[in-house]
Amino acid sequence: MALGEKLFEETGHVSGFKVTKAHPVEGITMDVSFTSDLKGVGKFPTGKNMGSGTVTQYPHGVIDGSYQGVLNTTDGKQVFWWAHEKGRFAEDGKIKSLIMVSAYTNSQQLSWINNLVMALDAQRDLTTHESKTTAYEWK
């Protein structure tokens, strides 16, 4: 696996969640919604992000999630995205994850995003419900 240039840094907060399943073998499944501030690096746009999805926390500590959302850029463009997460609990009690993201936009100026695959290094604090993410181009 090769990582390319850094694309953005993101800080976010869970805005809502609902436990939809709790099972001793299959784990806990939740619907999650979140908002975040995204600061683009280089030509990647800066803006406000919002998304939602389903995440399962398995009894052995692995996290599996699927999400979708939209980035509203500071200059009024929209980027729609889809993501899949694999993570685990770290020693500090936070969740550390790898999130793979693809996106689409109708903006001619940002059309290069349509062929981009992103690898996000993410961590979430379950106590504060805050997250920090750094995104890179996946080559």
Side-chain angles (χ1 to χ4, degrees):
M1 180 173 88
L3 297 178
E5 66 183 81
K6 183 176 181 178
L7 299 171
F8 62 81
E9 292 184 348
E10 179 183 29
T11 56
H13 189 80
V14 171
S15 55
F17 64 92
K18 176 176 122 179
V19 175
T20 58
K21 180 179 177 181
H23 190 277
V25 176
E26 297 173 8
I28 298 169
T29 301
M30 295 173 277
D31 291 335
V32 179
S33 299
F34 58 91
T35 59
S36 62
D37 292 312
L38 194 144
K39 182 177 180 192
V41 174
K43 63 183 180 178
F44 203 92
T46 294
K48 299 282 186 184
N49 190 36
M50 63 180 167
S52 62
T54 302
V55 61
T56 300
Q57 176 185 325
Y58 293 99
H60 61 287
V62 169
I63 307 294
D64 180 51
S66 294
Y67 310 95
Q68 60 280 321
V70 61
L71 168 65
N72 293 298
T73 69
T74 55
D75 61 352
K77 296 174 178 59
Q78 289 189 315
V79 178
F80 304 95
W81 56 265
W82 305 266
H84 192 78
E85 170 186 32
K86 290 291 187 180
R88 61 178 166 72
F89 282 94
E91 290 181 15
D92 60 5
K94 295 179 181 175
I95 296 174
K96 298 197 182 215
S97 301
L98 170 64
I99 304 172
M100 296 300 297
V101 181
S102 60
Y104 180 80
T105 182
N106 286 319
S107 164
Q108 290 291 75
Q109 180 185 3
L110 298 175
S111 63
W112 58 272
I113 288 175
N114 296 342
N115 294 317
L116 186 65
V117 176
M118 296 170 265
L120 282 59
D121 179 15
Q123 70 174 264
R124 284 195 307 277
D125 187 321
L126 294 178
T127 305
T128 64
H129 298 286
E130 293 178 352
S131 63
K132 292 183 180 181
T133 305
T134 303
Y136 300 91
E137 177 183 11
W138 182 71
K139 292 185 170 194

